[in-house]
């Protein structure tokens, strides 16, 4: 079956296309992008001129919680949240129960993804068995079963030796190691960014250096091994400095930043709700200079990707004392609006860069299909409404957990529709698109 | 986040507020100077009650106050209990070891359970910073923070201020040196908020390992030289050094801590002739304070304990709507 998207502005950094073009979908593939394409029996979908036709967005850092923590999220609810957030694909972290450190768990996750049949799911396998940092996980097996990258996310790879071995071994398969950077001794039992806010609130601090020290170590190890390292959820300006230095000398380092780290600062610990456990995440919300540095890195290209670190937790788990609460917030359904509102409309980046951060670069870093509207590629398409008025409401979200600090926020820009493999899986009723 | 230090030139004492229009007392950070004055003035009247033969007034008759303590405490809990009884409140003590909470009920559920029995006030001591804020969001009852983690211990700071004011007649313009484990101290944070609000010149002193990041943003002077902190001081306040801190490599040994920071008679001589020595207790004699100083002529440590009852009576009374009720009645 053929479908013709007509009228929107196509933004595809991978092919350098940016302008008003028609997009012809044939089955699950992009057939052609061009001016005034003949209808030729295709179903015509009229796209308003102000809307953006982007290659499907890819969130390279989510926690789908299945298997084992289905009270927080499942592959089905998580991928449903993904398409509502404009993401046609997600890469899910291995800290499930049990850990995704072997092909059985990988296959289980992929079976659940096929069953849900929503956003594409690319599992990330553990670096080490049980993510304990002692023995390498079954990397070749997991690669064979469908893992696209390796990470012990949630737990840093403690020793330099283990990280070196992981990089060397993963390099054989061309898999990047996604690095949760945090020196455990410096982090200790910290729960918030070490700074004025935590100091005054009496919360144990996590210094920025805990992240940057390990980022620096692993960038050096990437140089030693020649393998690609990707710094996950970077939050500190000193880490960005290490990434820039690494890139300057040609080390294969990339990095991502979450929407909450380019939006919020540690001031959120004290107000509007003091000790709100929805402001507790790891890495923690940093101080203004760090947040501003992340924005600068997004603007100048030293940051490669925006990823949500979507971390669902049941409300029971968050309705406790601040130091007892788990780290993390959900992000799949707010990422696009925060990116529009805080970056695009704020004049930090243009649309092309937004698409690069949310689609082109994640696809390239993970070496997965998608991230482009080139002829013959997957018909994974996100239609964006840059001026849509969005009011964030947990109650209307699809994710099973509602833990996030943006309730009631009014943002400009959102998702109009999400197309995966040529099928329209999500059309936002507020955007008024008939698709 | 740099807040300029408050001016310490002799400024007039702020007028007292006429009422404490808060549901809870979670921290000094939420109070204005006028509200602090109101509490201190009210404590004067309460102190007199404690000197009577019959130490009881009916101010809180029919009110239920729950003392909910998740950490061991002798002096704070006792002080609150005496204060409540002198005001004729019905009091209830619940002491829960934190370990049993880990296994069982959450703080939120404990609070809801208590709340269902409709108490008027809950006095909460908890090891987590912000525990009172959590309770305050759940409960209609007034929450009084009796110490939350390393955040605040507001009634301790109020009784300290009351003690200082009683001895010195004022707080504005005084030099106050606070020496000890600042990092882990809720007493420090409450005192810094209070003393800077009332115009004192506050110096804090300890090893760099035990100084919270950002404390200078509250308008205090930070030093690692104890002589500089105590020189010309009107008030020296020592904070407890917990014996287990050595394991965290905060300092090498108690002996070395005492030699560098311990409050000895020689160091006290650098302060003003009429300096007062304070300690919120419990003391480690020979660690943060020499026994000669603790027991010496400048020590007001037992005054602090005595004043604690009056100050807590004032807080309970005012949070229960004391002044407003009184005005309505008159």
């Amino acid at each position: 079956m053929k479908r013709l998207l007509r009228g929107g502005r196509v933004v595809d950094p991978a092919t350098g296309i940016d302008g008003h073009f028609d997009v012809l979908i044939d089955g699950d593939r992009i057939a052609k992008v061009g001016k005034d394409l003949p209808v030729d029996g295709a179903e015509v979908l009229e796209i308003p001129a102000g809307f953006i036709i982007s290659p499907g967005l890819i969130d390279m850092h989510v926690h789908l919680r299945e298997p084992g923590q289905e009270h927080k999220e499942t592959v089905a609810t998580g991928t449903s949240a993904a398409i509502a957030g404009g993401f046609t694909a997600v890469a899910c972290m291995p800290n499930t129960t049990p850990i995704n450190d072997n092909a059985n768990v990988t296959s289980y996750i992929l079976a659940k993804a096929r069953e849900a049949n929503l956003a594409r799911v690319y599992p990330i396998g553990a670096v080490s068995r049980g993510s304990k940092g002692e023995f390498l996980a079954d990397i070749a097996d997991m690669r064979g079963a469908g893992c696209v990258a390796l990470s012990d996310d949630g737990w840093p790879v403690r020793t330099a030796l283990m990280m070196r071995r992981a990089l060397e071994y993963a390099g054989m398969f061309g898999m990047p190691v996604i690095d949760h950077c945090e020196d455990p001794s410096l982090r200790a039992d910290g729960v918030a960014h070490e700074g004025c806010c935590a100091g005054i609130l009496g919360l144990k601090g996590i210094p920025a250096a805990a992240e940057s020290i390990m980022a620096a170590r692993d960038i050096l190890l990437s140089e030693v091994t020649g393998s690609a390292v990707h710094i996950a959820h970077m939050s500190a300006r000193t880490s960005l400095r290490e990434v820039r230095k690494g890139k300057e000398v040609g080390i294969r380092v990339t990095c991502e930043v979450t929407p909450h780290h380019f939006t919020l600062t540690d001031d959120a610990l004290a107000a509007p709700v003091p000790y709100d456990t929805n402001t507790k995440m790891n890495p923690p919300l940093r101080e203004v200079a760090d947040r501003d540095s992340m924005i600068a890195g997004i603007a100048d290209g030293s940051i490669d990707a925006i990823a949500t670190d979507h971390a669902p937790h049941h409300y029971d788990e968050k309705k406790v004392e601040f130091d007892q609460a788990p780290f993390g917030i959900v992000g799949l359904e707010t990422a696009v609006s925060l990116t529009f509102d805080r970056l695009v409309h704020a004049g930090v980046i243009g649309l092309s860069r937004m698409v690069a951060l949310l689609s082109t670069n994640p696809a390239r870093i993970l070496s997965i299909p998608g991230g482009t509207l080139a002829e013959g590629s997957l018909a994974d398409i996100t239609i964006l409404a840059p001026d849509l008025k969005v009011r964030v409401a947990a109650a209307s979200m699809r994710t099973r957990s509602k833990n996030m600090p943006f309730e009631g926020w009014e943002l400009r820009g959102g998702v109009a529709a999400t197309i995966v493999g040529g099928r329209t899986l999500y059309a936002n009723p507020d955007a008024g698109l008939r698709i | 986040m740099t807040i300029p230090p408050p001016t310490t030139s002799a400024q007039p004492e702020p007028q007292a507020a006429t009422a404490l229009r808060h549901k809870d007392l979670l921290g000094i950070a939420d109070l204005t100077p006028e509200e602090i004055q109101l509490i201190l003035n009210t404590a004067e009247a309460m102190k007199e009650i404690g000197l009577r033969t019959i130490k009881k007034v009916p101010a809180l008759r029919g009110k239920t106050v729950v003392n909910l303590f998740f950490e061991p405490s002798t002096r704070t809990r006792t002080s609150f209990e005496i204060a409540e009884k002198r005001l004729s409140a019905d009091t209830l003590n619940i002491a829960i070891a934190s370990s049993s909470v880990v296994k069982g009920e959450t703080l939120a559920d404990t609070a809801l359970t208590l709340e269902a029995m409709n108490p008027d006030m809950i006095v909460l001591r908890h090891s987590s910073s912000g525990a009172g804020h959590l309770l305050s969001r759940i409960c209609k009852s007034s929450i009084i923070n009796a110490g939350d983690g390393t955040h605040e211990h507001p009634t301790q700071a109020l009784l300290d201020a009351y003690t200082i004011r009683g001895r010195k007649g004022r707080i504005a313009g005084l030099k106050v040196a606070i020496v000890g484990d600042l990092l882990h101290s809720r007493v420090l944070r409450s005192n810094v908020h209070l003393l800077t609000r009332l115009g004192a010149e506050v110096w804090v002193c300890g090893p760099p390992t035990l100084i919270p990041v950002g404390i200078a943003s509250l308008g205090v002077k930070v030093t690692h030289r104890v002589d500089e902190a105590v020189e010309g001081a009107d008030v020296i306040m020592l904070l407890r050094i917990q014996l287990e801190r050595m394991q965290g490599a905060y300092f090498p040994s108690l002996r070395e801590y005492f030699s560098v920071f311990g409050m000895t008679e020689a160091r006290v001589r650098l302060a003003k002739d009429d300096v007062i020595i304070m300690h919120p207790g419990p003391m480690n004699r020979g660690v943060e304070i020499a026994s000669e100083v603790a027991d010496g002529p400048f020590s007001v440590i037992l005054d602090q304990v005595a004043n604690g009852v009056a100050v807590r009576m004032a807080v309970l009374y005012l949070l229960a709507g004391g002044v407003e009720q009184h005005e309505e009645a008159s």
Side-chain angles (χ1 to χ4, degrees):
Chain A
M1 195 189 78
K2 292 188 177 178
R3 308 177 85 194
L4 184 65
L5 303 182
R6 208 161 64 177
R9 174 176 158 193
V10 177
V11 178
D12 181 18
T15 56
I17 291 175
D18 185 349
H20 283 83
F21 294 96
D22 299 343
V23 177
L24 182 67
I25 300 168
D26 186 358
D28 67 349
R29 299 275 156 179
I30 305 284
K32 201 165 179 56
V33 177
K35 289 276 187 202
D36 305 319
L37 297 182
V39 174
D40 194 22
E43 178 195 3
V44 176
L45 307 171
E46 296 290 351
I47 311 293
F51 284 22
I52 308 301
I53 299 175
S54 161
L57 308 185
I58 299 168
D59 188 345
M60 63 182 297
H61 191 143
V62 303
H63 298 270
L64 294 180
R65 304 299 190 205
E66 195 176 5
Q69 299 151 26
E70 290 84 354
H71 64 294
K72 299 177 192 244
E73 192 82 286
T74 64
V75 173
T77 58
T79 52
S80 177
I83 57 159
F87 293 100
T88 56
V90 296
C92 59
M93 285 295 172
N95 59 338
T96 45
T97 315
I99 301 271
N100 182 14
D101 61 0
N102 65 75
N104 288 337
V105 179
T106 308
S107 302
Y108 179 85
I109 292 167
L110 287 171
K112 288 289 171 184
R114 273 193 302 278
E115 221 172 88
N117 201 17
L118 295 166
R120 297 178 201 277
V121 173
Y122 295 101
I124 297 165
V127 167
S128 61
R129 226 177 281 169
S131 286
K132 292 186 194 307
E134 292 163 354
F135 308 99
L136 287 177
D138 298 343
I139 292 172
D141 276 6
M142 291 192 292
R143 177 69 172 169
C147 281
V148 297
L150 300 170
S151 180
D152 275 351
D153 187 50
W155 298 276
V157 178
R158 279 194 307 276
T159 70
L161 179 67
M162 177 53 89
M163 181 50 90
R164 179 202 171 146
R165 296 282 186 253
L167 283 165
E168 284 173 328
Y169 197 81
M172 169 167 71
F173 303 101
M175 297 166 89
V177 173
I178 300 179
D179 196 3
H180 174 115
C181 294
E182 186 177 41
D183 181 281
S185 66
L186 275 178
R187 177 259 171 101
D189 49 358
V191 296
H193 171 62
E194 183 180 284
C196 289
C197 293
I200 290 164
L201 291 173
L203 295 172
K204 286 184 180 157
I206 303 175
E211 175 182 286
S212 308
I213 280 174
M214 197 169 279
R217 179 195 82 177
D218 294 344
I219 291 166
L220 286 173
L221 290 172
S222 167
E223 183 176 32
V224 168
T225 59
S227 297
V229 69
H230 176 80
I231 310 298
H233 46 49
M234 189 173 66
S235 65
R237 58 191 189 273
T238 41
S239 307
L240 179 58
R241 189 171 70 201
E242 296 302 323
V243 167
R244 283 184 175 136
K245 275 161 54 185
K247 287 187 169 193
E248 260 168 40
V249 296
I251 296 171
R252 296 179 65 198
V253 56
T254 53
C255 64
E256 70 191 28
V257 169
T258 70
H260 46 274
H261 286 114
F262 68 65
T263 302
L264 296 170
T265 64
D266 59 352
D267 290 340
L269 298 168
V273 181
Y275 299 96
D276 183 357
T277 55
N278 285 330
T279 62
K280 181 177 177 183
M281 46 282 265
N282 190 16
L285 296 174
R286 300 281 181 196
E287 58 201 49
V288 173
D290 291 304
R291 193 267 316 266
D292 291 350
S293 168
M294 293 305 109
I295 293 174
I298 287 169
D300 71 16
S302 23
I303 289 166
D304 299 274
I306 292 171
T308 65
D309 193 9
H310 178 80
H313 292 293
H314 193 271
Y315 75 84
D316 279 348
E317 297 164 310
K318 281 286 198 180
K319 198 180 174 183
V320 295
E321 301 87 320
F322 191 91
D323 53 5
Q324 305 292 316
F327 293 96
I329 61 169
V330 295
L332 279 166
E333 290 165 89
T334 46
V336 163
S337 293
L338 287 168
T339 304
F340 266 126
D341 195 274
R342 297 304 159 117
L343 300 178
V344 177
H345 295 312
V348 175
I349 55 172
L351 284 165
S352 169
R353 178 96 184 105
M354 174 177 173
V355 173
L357 287 158
L358 283 164
S359 177
T360 326
N361 294 348
R364 179 175 51 80
I365 293 163
L366 297 176
S367 304
I368 57 176
T372 178
L373 298 174
E375 285 170 26
S377 54
L378 289 171
D380 289 1
I381 296 169
T382 304
I383 300 175
L384 300 165
D387 296 308
L388 187 70
K389 278 189 180 159
V390 173
R391 189 183 161 83
V392 180
S396 60
M397 287 188 176
R398 296 183 174 197
T399 173
R400 181 162 280 181
S401 296
K402 311 294 179 192
N403 50 307
M404 53 110 199
F406 304 116
E407 182 69 25
W409 282 36
E410 292 187 353
L411 301 168
R412 181 177 157 209
V415 177
T418 309
I419 299 171
V420 180
R423 300 176 301 145
T424 303
L425 294 184
Y426 174 75
N428 183 353
D430 296 336
L433 195 62
R434 299 170 70 86
I435 187 165
Chain B
M1 207 172 133
T2 310
I3 300 161
T7 51
T8 50
S9 57
Q11 40 184 271
E13 296 272 314
Q15 293 288 308
T18 55
L20 195 57
R21 295 182 202 281
H22 294 275
K23 172 178 158 284
D24 311 305
L25 177 62
L26 300 179
I28 301 295
D30 304 324
L31 298 181
T32 63
E34 293 75 18
E35 289 169 331
I36 294 167
Q37 289 292 357
L38 171 65
I39 296 170
L40 300 183
N41 293 350
T42 309
E44 296 285 0
M46 295 298 172
K47 186 156 190 185
E48 184 270 324
I49 295 169
L51 302 173
R52 296 179 192 171
T53 323
I54 298 183
K55 305 180 183 63
K56 205 171 183 81
V57 293
L60 294 190
R61 196 170 56 198
K63 303 270 185 195
T64 307
V65 183
V66 177
N67 299 315
L68 181 59
F69 277 62
F70 289 89
E71 276 186 340
S73 159
T74 307
R75 75 185 62 209
T76 303
R77 195 190 54 69
T78 312
S79 178
F80 265 108
E81 195 177 346
I82 291 175
E84 290 151 9
K85 292 195 157 136
R86 287 191 180 162
L87 293 172
S88 306
D90 296 317
T91 69
L92 176 67
N93 292 314
I94 305 177
I96 304 175
S98 294
S99 59
S100 69
V101 173
V102 172
K103 289 179 211 147
E105 200 171 51
T106 62
L107 175 61
D109 279 340
T110 303
L112 284 170
T113 305
L114 286 174
E115 186 73 359
M117 294 183 261
N118 200 23
D120 297 281
M121 297 192 194
I122 298 175
V123 178
L124 177 73
R125 159 70 61 94
H126 198 284
S127 60
S128 292
S129 299
H133 293 79
L134 175 66
L135 231 62
S136 129
R137 289 197 282 274
I138 295 170
C139 297
K140 288 198 301 293
S141 329
S142 290
I143 310 298
I144 299 177
N145 181 5
D148 64 327
T150 56
H151 173 230
E152 281 222 44
H153 190 356
T155 56
Q156 177 69 42
L158 287 162
L159 74 87
D160 290 341
Y162 181 83
T163 305
I164 295 170
R165 202 176 78 162
R167 289 287 177 145
K168 302 287 177 192
R170 66 191 167 105
I171 287 172
L174 296 180
K175 177 175 179 180
V176 182
I178 307 177
V179 186
D181 180 351
L182 312 173
L183 182 65
H184 301 94
S185 176
R186 50 196 173 210
V187 175
L188 178 270
R189 287 170 180 77
S190 284
N191 262 303
V192 165
H193 285 303
L194 194 156
L195 295 168
T196 54
R197 271 168 175 68
L198 293 192
E201 176 191 344
V202 182
W203 287 70
V204 300
C205 177
T209 48
L210 289 175
I211 292 182
V213 172
I215 195 71
S217 71
L218 293 179
V220 300
K221 297 190 170 71
V222 180
T223 180
H224 310 306
R225 296 196 300 118
V226 69
D227 288 359
E228 186 184 21
V230 301
E231 188 175 7
D234 299 283
V235 178
I236 297 172
M237 186 183 294
L238 290 323
L239 298 176
R240 175 179 167 80
I241 295 294
Q242 289 184 348
L243 303 181
E244 64 269 22
R245 295 297 171 214
M246 280 180 300
Q247 272 102 54
Y250 291 102
F251 52 86
S253 66
L254 295 175
R255 187 198 57 78
E256 180 158 322
Y257 181 86
F258 183 72
S259 76
V260 181
F261 295 101
M263 197 51 56
T264 57
E265 288 180 302
R267 286 182 175 135
V268 171
R269 279 194 287 275
L270 297 171
K272 287 228 175 82
D273 291 342
D274 61 347
V275 67
I276 57 172
I277 307 290
M278 307 179 75
H279 194 302
M283 274 187 287
N284 287 314
R285 292 167 176 266
V287 180
E288 67 266 10
I289 186 167
S291 279
E292 293 76 11
V293 174
D295 303 330
F298 305 115
S299 170
V300 297
I301 294 170
L302 292 175
D303 286 17
Q304 291 174 271
V305 178
N307 292 336
V309 175
V311 164
R312 290 178 174 119
M313 286 170 76
V315 166
L316 290 158
Y317 173 72
L318 291 168
L319 275 185
V323 170
E324 280 178 307
Q325 272 182 359
H326 192 71
E327 281 170 352
E328 280 162 22
S330 60

